[in-house]
Amino acid sequence: MVMDGQSQVLADSSRKLDEIDVILGTKDGQIERGRDPQRCRHNARQKCSYCLPLDPYDEEYLKEKEIKHMSFHAHCRKLMSTHGKGTSLKKPLETVKLSVDLNCPAHKPYPKGVCTKCRPPTVTLNRQKFRHVDNVCFENEDVVNEFLNYWRKSNEQRAGYLIGRYEECPEVPLGIRAIVLAIYEPPQEANNKCIKLVDEGAEGAAVDKLCAWLDVRRVGWIFTDLFTANAFDGSVHCTRHAQSYLLSAEECITAGALQVKYPNPTQFCSDGVYGSKFVTVVASGDESEKVSFHGYQVSNQCMQLVEANLLCPTNHYELAYIRETPLNEQHYIPDVQYTEKNEYGAEVRRVGRPLPVEFLMVDVPAGMPKEYRCTFHIPTDKKFPIENRSTVKETQTAEKVAQFCEQFSLENFLDLATNFHFLLYLLTQKDVPFTDEELRALCDCVKTGDREGAREWAATTDHWTALVALSHHSQAPLKGWNCRHCTFSNRETERECTMCGLPNEAAH
């Protein structure tokens, strides 16, 4: 899959650091250990080898805590540590380009000339020992259940972008956790076996704008791979496991393209970016035939292979293939190898044709917190329709908007607006276009939890009043009374308009 805007994103090496990286950059990451009453023979003010703090990359500690990969910041601290080897490096990371440099001043552009400086080196693939994100956490089960409802209704696979933020992961030294607050479902074509993402167009730009106003971002993507085993008990087939495959080569290529599109800004690399925090989550059946979620990232080497257009899928899900034939005369294909043990236990090098995808990926635990948290989802009887679901007859029509709004009074307008899909609808609908200033003000109320500010916004914003009037005009009239100020249809039991707050007597 070719993702738009890759070159523009990578060209911007002066991008601002993520807030979580600034926070972790101020910490030493040392793992404190208390005084061992049996081994320590000193007083409380002294330290010994049994109670000295450990480095965040200490292998014995990570093994004891069953942490499979060290965090990215711990990896950087390890590279910068001196350990008696001289001055530590300020920028220890380097991004290896696997495409030929067409602007080499020593000769004519490739293929008319090539040298060791402009030609990419031979690549030996290694299993990555660190990961940029150490955990994926869905804020609550309603977020994923609403996403899975599409598959339950249509039996078609579904993909979506994870909207959220990054925060510290205390279980991993200097670790980062991706918190998923909502799932945006882009335009796509799907059946019960595959998914094809199509161009988002203006809607994609609107999603990024809304995320910026709410101080959130696309932290990853999710897709289903579900096949019903028993419709009565809701069980699903287990198709992905250690004996088959976890991620297919085609999925690794797509994940690599998305990670290239959303790079990780860092001060530890001279290019200004290194790797990516963008995660991949798969919803599939586990060994108990229940729906489970598994998180992954592809390695930095896989990102480089995808960026250089060197990686191809095969008929076997667990195998990728390094391209043999260049796409054009300026497409250079370097040697790509990996090492494995032969039948005698000796390590041998193999050419990446084919290539096991296990060399290209790292796993990221995914789950949900014990305590229910809610940022963009207020439980209601009638859900607001999610975007791009016309195939299951879920459309964001004026009537559906009116039905959703009926559940909230003016005093509870903040609860109505605290819905990512509803805010996206306000930004993309064409019936009554809002200005950016109006919607940004509403997003500020949602972001800060300003209930009074949200109520005032609903009462004083003419475009909102017009949209409500238009929505209720298309709906069958309720048994009650209509407010003359905002034409909202109120029930008989309401003494004042639930939208604008005017009393029944004043409205008539």
Side-chain angles (χ1 to χ4, degrees):
M1 181 189 301
V2 179
M3 310 302 297
D4 296 333
Q6 293 179 13
S7 58
Q8 289 85 347
V9 172
L10 291 178
D12 183 12
S13 60
S14 60
R15 60 177 58 241
K16 183 180 179 181
L17 292 179
D18 294 338
E19 182 179 357
I20 183 62
D21 292 319
V22 176
I23 294 173
L24 293 177
T26 61
K27 299 187 175 184
D28 57 15
Q30 294 292 302
I31 305 168
E32 297 293 337
R33 295 189 295 172
R35 187 174 183 272
D36 192 326
Q38 297 181 349
R39 296 181 176 181
C40 296
R41 303 298 181 184
H42 50 78
N43 58 42
R45 294 185 177 182
Q46 294 178 325
K47 295 285 185 180
C48 68
S49 59
Y50 296 110
C51 59
L52 279 172
L54 298 175
D55 292 320
Y57 47 83
D58 186 85
E59 294 184 2
E60 291 297 326
Y61 176 84
L62 298 178
K63 185 177 181 180
E64 177 186 347
K65 298 297 182 179
E66 297 182 350
I67 301 174
K68 190 174 180 181
H69 303 277
M70 72 177 73
S71 66
F72 171 70
H73 280 265
H75 173 68
C76 294
R77 302 293 171 86
K78 182 178 182 180
L79 295 178
M80 292 190 299
S81 61
T82 56
H83 294 292
K85 296 182 180 180
T87 305
S88 60
L89 299 175
K90 293 183 179 180
K91 296 184 182 295
L93 302 176
E94 181 182 0
T95 301
V96 179
K97 303 293 184 181
L98 298 184
S99 55
V100 66
D101 184 5
L102 300 177
N103 299 318
C104 183
H107 50 77
K108 293 182 178 181
Y110 181 81
K112 295 182 178 180
V114 67
C115 65
T116 55
K117 291 183 179 180
C118 66
R119 181 181 62 190
T122 299
V123 181
T124 301
L125 298 176
N126 300 302
R127 290 179 173 86
Q128 190 165 288
K129 297 182 178 181
F130 67 93
R131 54 192 173 199
H132 292 272
V133 173
D134 303 280
N135 183 262
V136 180
C137 181
F138 293 92
E139 195 176 41
N140 57 67
E141 62 181 13
D142 294 329
V143 173
V144 292
N145 274 331
E146 289 188 3
F147 173 72
L148 293 177
N149 280 341
Y150 182 91
W151 169 77
R152 295 184 179 118
K153 294 178 180 179
S154 66
N155 200 33
E156 294 180 352
Q157 307 302 338
R158 193 67 170 168
Y161 285 100
L162 306 176
I163 306 298
R165 60 175 180 266
Y166 299 109
E167 64 179 32
E168 290 186 66
C169 182
E171 294 80 11
V172 179
L174 297 178
I176 296 176
R177 172 180 287 131
I179 303 293
V180 180
L181 312 177
I183 299 177
Y184 159 63
E185 301 179 17
Q188 55 196 281
E189 300 172 3
N191 53 39
N192 64 340
K193 293 183 179 180
C194 64
I195 306 167
K196 178 183 178 182
L197 297 179
V198 300
D199 184 20
E200 297 178 27
E203 185 178 275
V207 170
D208 295 332
K209 181 188 293 187
L210 180 60
C211 288
W213 290 344
L214 295 170
D215 283 344
V216 295
R217 64 179 64 192
R218 305 192 197 203
V219 298
W221 71 305
I222 182 174
F223 64 91
T224 62
D225 185 29
L226 297 169
F227 301 93
T228 302
N230 189 323
F232 295 100
D233 60 10
S235 60
V236 292
H237 289 291
C238 177
T239 57
R240 296 172 184 251
H241 48 80
Q243 282 68 43
S244 60
Y245 71 102
L246 300 177
L247 272 187
S248 70
E250 189 172 12
E251 292 160 358
C252 285
I253 295 172
T254 303
L258 289 168
Q259 289 184 204
V260 169
K261 186 177 180 181
Y262 300 98
N264 174 49
T266 179
Q267 72 274 31
F268 299 118
C269 182
S270 57
D271 293 337
V273 293
Y274 187 80
S276 174
K277 294 190 185 77
F278 201 84
V279 298
T280 297
V281 177
V282 184
S284 62
D286 57 16
E287 295 179 353
S288 61
E289 295 190 336
K290 295 181 180 180
V291 178
S292 61
F293 300 89
H294 303 274
Y296 303 96
Q297 280 193 303
V298 296
S299 65
N300 291 3
Q301 287 183 320
C302 179
M303 290 175 59
Q304 295 158 8
L305 291 173
V306 172
E307 184 186 5
N309 214 341
L310 300 175
L311 207 57
C312 299
T314 67
N315 293 330
H316 299 275
Y317 291 141
E318 72 278 8
L319 296 176
Y321 200 85
I322 300 300
R323 192 183 300 276
E324 291 182 301
T325 306
L327 296 176
N328 52 59
E329 63 177 11
Q330 294 183 332
H331 187 209
Y332 185 87
I333 299 179
D335 294 330
V336 179
Q337 305 172 343
Y338 67 96
T339 59
E340 66 175 1
K341 291 185 178 181
N342 60 14
E343 62 272 20
Y344 304 106
E347 287 194 352
V348 295
R349 289 191 176 187
R350 308 284 191 192
V351 178
R353 301 185 180 101
L355 166 69
V357 296
E358 62 190 64
F359 285 89
L360 306 176
M361 51 185 281
V362 295
D363 63 307
V364 181
M368 300 178 194
K370 295 181 180 179
E371 297 183 359
Y372 186 92
R373 297 196 297 176
C374 180
T375 299
F376 292 132
H377 180 86
I378 303 298
T380 54
D381 294 333
K382 296 180 181 178
K383 308 292 185 182
F384 187 78
I386 296 176
E387 60 280 344
N388 301 311
R389 284 194 173 187
S390 58
T391 53
V392 290
K393 298 182 180 180
E394 292 185 17
T395 55
Q396 295 175 336
T397 61
E399 183 178 358
K400 294 290 182 65
V401 173
Q403 293 174 357
F404 179 72
C405 293
E406 284 176 4
Q407 303 173 98
F408 304 90
S409 65
L410 181 64
E411 297 300 325
N412 295 325
F413 183 80
L414 179 64
D415 297 336
L416 183 153
T418 306
N419 185 303
F420 184 84
H421 306 287
F422 177 73
L423 292 173
L424 181 59
Y425 166 77
L426 294 183
L427 185 57
T428 56
Q429 56 87 26
K430 304 298 183 183
D431 296 330
V432 185
F434 289 81
T435 65
D436 285 357
E437 289 74 16
E438 289 173 334
L439 290 181
R440 179 176 289 182
L442 178 58
C443 289
D444 288 340
C445 295
V446 172
K447 187 169 55 176
T448 59
D450 185 358
R451 189 169 294 274
E452 179 61 26
R455 189 199 67 80
E456 183 179 353
W457 186 93
T460 59
T461 304
D462 294 337
H463 285 149
W464 169 249
T465 303
L467 181 63
V468 170
L470 181 63
S471 300
H472 284 79
H473 180 73
S474 62
Q475 187 184 25
L478 294 172
K479 185 180 179 181
W481 56 277
N482 294 330
C483 176
R484 291 185 178 181
H485 174 67
C486 66
T487 68
F488 192 91
S489 299
N490 295 274
R491 302 181 187 277
E492 282 183 327
T493 56
E494 300 291 346
R495 295 185 177 182
E496 60 181 24
C497 179
T498 57
M499 187 51 60
C500 69
L502 285 179
N504 189 358
E505 294 77 13
H508 285 77

